[in-house]
Amino acid sequence: MSSASQKALLIPSKGAEFEVGTRSIPKPGPGEVLVKLHAAALNPLDNIMQKYGLFIESYPAVPGNDGAGTVEELGEGVIGLQKGDRVARGPLTAIPSKYSFDEAATIPLGFATAALGLYDKRGKHGRVNLPSVWSAAGGAELPTPWSAAGRDKYKGHPAVITGGASSVGQFVIQLAKLSGFGPIITTASSRNAEYAKAAGATHVIDYNTTSYADLPAAVAKITSTPVPLIYDVIASPESQKASWAILAPKGTLVVSHDPVVGKLGEEAEDSKRVELVWGSTTDSDWHEIGNDIWAHLTGLLETGAVKPNKVEVLPDGLAGIPAGVERVGQGKVSGVKLVAHPQETA
């Protein structure tokens, strides 16, 4: 292999199996940075891209949304970075030295999804180039906790978060804590209860022993205070219906999949709202909130206010990713983020 080529995990065509192949190493253009990837994290979106071609414009395609590494080369006009800097996709967010590349790779997409669901504006409409219902995506429009108006603003107000051991759930719990919510109630298996509590949850309801149909009663035993915010990371029809039943009048339910309750962009009779989160900040409509999020992430990591996910490193570099993507797609990953080391590919 020439020095201008690199190994890459490819999707040859829509729905085809992954293949390890080669791609040329790109040269950064004006305003661009070339990053040498040390760790790549897997997401549910990787499985959807491979099976259905979502967001893929041409083949063969290189999937992947999360990674961390070192700056290798700077394009013309790039300032604030230098070769060797440790960064994570986000866009490029500096990694505090106390975190490994593996840990840093777990952060970008999950953290963006959590933050946008909480702090993005409500009910955005009229977007183009977004699939299906995501054209109306938005968030709960809470003031950000890194602003004077938002830090600890919601003391005494409970929040419910489903899927507290998931990557997104972990970051939602941490941000809800920064926003002052309490109690913070989440669902997780009993084996992941301490993981959810370490992120900031005050109460963990075991979804193996409490069905979503029984979730409203379980929450009512914890708090009688109206719940103004629910972030339904699981977003199954059952979890959404339970969340909608728990939600207080004038409250906001954030869901990660197509809503089956309420109506996007409209308030219900009791002024409850449902918002569908869009986890990317690359679209122009999200640049303002995205830039604000990434500008504060390094500081949140440095203080420990935001912590990475637990990591499970996959074997065999790029060749180990397909089996990992399959596990993620089958819902067989819990309490960890799967990470691969491309440099370990045989």
Side-chain angles (χ1 to χ4, degrees):
M1 185 186 304
S2 72
S3 61
S5 298
Q6 61 183 336
K7 291 181 179 179
L9 188 66
L10 306 174
I11 304 175
S13 60
K14 183 177 179 180
E17 297 298 321
F18 291 104
E19 292 181 0
V20 175
T22 59
R23 298 272 282 208
S24 61
I25 297 175
K27 293 287 292 183
E32 295 180 339
V33 175
L34 179 66
V35 175
K36 184 175 183 179
L37 197 64
H38 291 263
L42 277 59
N43 291 285
L45 183 57
D46 302 328
N47 182 66
I48 296 172
M49 292 174 70
Q50 183 255 330
K51 291 186 180 301
Y52 306 108
L54 188 66
F55 306 122
I56 294 178
E57 297 180 355
S58 62
Y59 292 93
V62 178
N65 295 276
D66 278 344
T70 53
V71 174
E72 184 74 8
E73 189 176 349
L74 304 175
E76 182 183 354
V78 174
I79 59 174
L81 290 169
Q82 59 185 357
K83 185 174 180 178
D85 283 351
R86 304 170 75 250
V87 294
R89 173 195 181 275
L92 298 182
T93 299
I95 304 169
S97 58
K98 64 180 177 179
Y99 295 120
S100 67
F101 290 119
D102 291 348
E103 291 173 314
T106 73
I107 298 168
L109 187 57
F111 182 76
T113 303
L116 288 170
L118 293 173
Y119 309 120
D120 192 15
K121 293 180 180 178
R122 293 177 175 176
K124 293 181 174 181
H125 296 288
R127 291 200 172 84
V128 295
N129 300 324
L130 292 181
S132 73
V133 72
W134 273 309
S135 61
E141 204 169 340
L142 308 180
T144 57
W146 46 83
S147 67
R151 190 67 175 256
D152 295 329
K153 177 179 174 63
Y154 295 95
K155 282 187 175 180
H157 296 276
V160 173
I161 299 146
T162 68
S166 68
S167 178
V168 174
Q170 281 281 297
F171 292 123
V172 175
I173 291 171
Q174 294 175 45
L175 289 171
K177 181 179 179 180
L178 288 177
S179 289
F181 284 97
I184 297 175
I185 305 165
T186 192
T187 63
S189 65
S190 58
R191 67 185 179 88
N192 288 324
E194 292 307 312
Y195 185 42
K197 289 180 179 179
T202 58
H203 299 77
V204 180
I205 297 172
D206 187 349
Y207 58 68
N208 290 310
T209 57
T210 301
S211 69
Y212 283 113
D214 295 328
L215 186 60
V219 170
K221 290 180 180 179
I222 296 171
T223 180
S224 59
T225 304
V227 180
L229 174 71
I230 301 180
Y231 198 125
D232 188 1
V233 178
I234 302 301
S236 66
E238 296 76 17
S239 68
Q240 289 191 42
K241 291 173 184 176
S243 297
W244 193 249
I246 296 167
L247 189 66
K250 300 183 180 180
T252 301
L253 167 62
V254 179
V255 295
S256 60
H257 300 296
D258 292 8
V260 299
V261 297
K263 190 172 182 180
L264 283 178
E266 297 183 14
E267 292 186 351
E269 290 183 1
D270 53 2
S271 299
K272 293 196 290 192
R273 297 180 65 96
V274 60
E275 297 290 347
L276 175 64
V277 61
W278 173 250
S280 172
T281 58
T282 57
D283 184 277
S284 60
D285 284 342
W286 279 270
H287 281 177
E288 183 178 355
I289 180 67
N291 289 340
D292 188 40
I293 290 169
W294 303 127
H296 291 87
L297 177 55
T298 299
L300 294 172
L301 290 168
E302 286 175 342
T303 63
V306 169
K307 299 180 287 291
N309 301 156
K310 286 183 180 178
V311 171
E312 177 187 332
V313 177
L314 297 169
D316 305 321
L318 295 174
I321 289 178
V325 170
E326 189 67 20
R327 283 173 58 193
V328 173
Q330 293 175 353
K332 295 182 178 179
V333 178
S334 179
V336 295
K337 190 78 163 176
L338 301 185
V339 172
H341 298 158
Q343 67 274 18
E344 295 177 358
T345 309

